Amino acid sequence: MNTKEFGKFLTELRKEKGYTQIQLAEMLNVTDKAISRWETGKNYPDIEMFQNLSNVLGISISELLEGKRIAKEQLFKKSEERWERFSLLTTPRKN
């Protein structure tokens, strides 16, 4: 997903909640200029911000990263797939 798609999705989510950029910025402890930069696709939020964004907007981090809503069944499946890949990467290999 590129920054423009992310920004469009973020704008949709914010408006669904009825928040202004200023209100969202206050909830996240950032400036409204930061929200504007994210929504216009100039840049992404810092990685540390994704948990707060997902909490405030009522969606999963996976949905934020995908840039779209994900059905609950798919969300669970994606989480399992990511966990399996992570486990493979972090499990020591046997010689």
Side-chain angles (χ1 to χ4, degrees):
M1 172 181 52
N2 65 43
T3 55
K4 296 276 186 202
E5 291 170 355
F6 176 84
K8 182 179 176 188
F9 185 55
L10 183 61
T11 302
E12 289 171 13
L13 294 170
R14 176 181 58 78
K15 288 181 177 180
E16 281 177 16
K17 291 288 186 178
Y19 301 144
T20 64
Q21 287 184 343
I22 292 171
Q23 289 170 321
L24 182 59
E26 288 172 354
M27 288 182 234
L28 297 171
N29 240 3
V30 298
T31 66
D32 58 317
K33 300 289 186 214
I35 303 295
S36 177
R37 284 192 300 271
W38 302 342
E39 289 186 354
T40 57
K42 290 191 170 74
N43 61 15
Y44 288 109
D46 290 336
I47 192 73
E48 298 87 17
M49 187 59 58
F50 277 82
Q51 183 67 54
N52 291 340
L53 266 171
S54 70
N55 290 341
V56 168
L57 297 172
I59 63 167
S60 70
I61 293 174
S62 293
E63 289 172 303
L64 272 177
L65 294 173
E66 292 280 334
K68 62 182 178 184
R69 299 231 183 237
I70 302 171
K72 297 249 185 258
E73 301 81 28
Q74 278 297 105
L75 191 57
F76 183 71
K77 183 177 178 185
K78 284 184 180 287
S79 295
E80 281 184 331
E81 290 169 359
R82 286 187 180 127
W83 180 250
E84 287 174 16
R85 279 185 266 151
F86 176 75
S87 295
L88 289 173
L89 292 172
T90 59
T91 303
R93 293 183 183 178
K94 294 180 182 178
N95 294 334

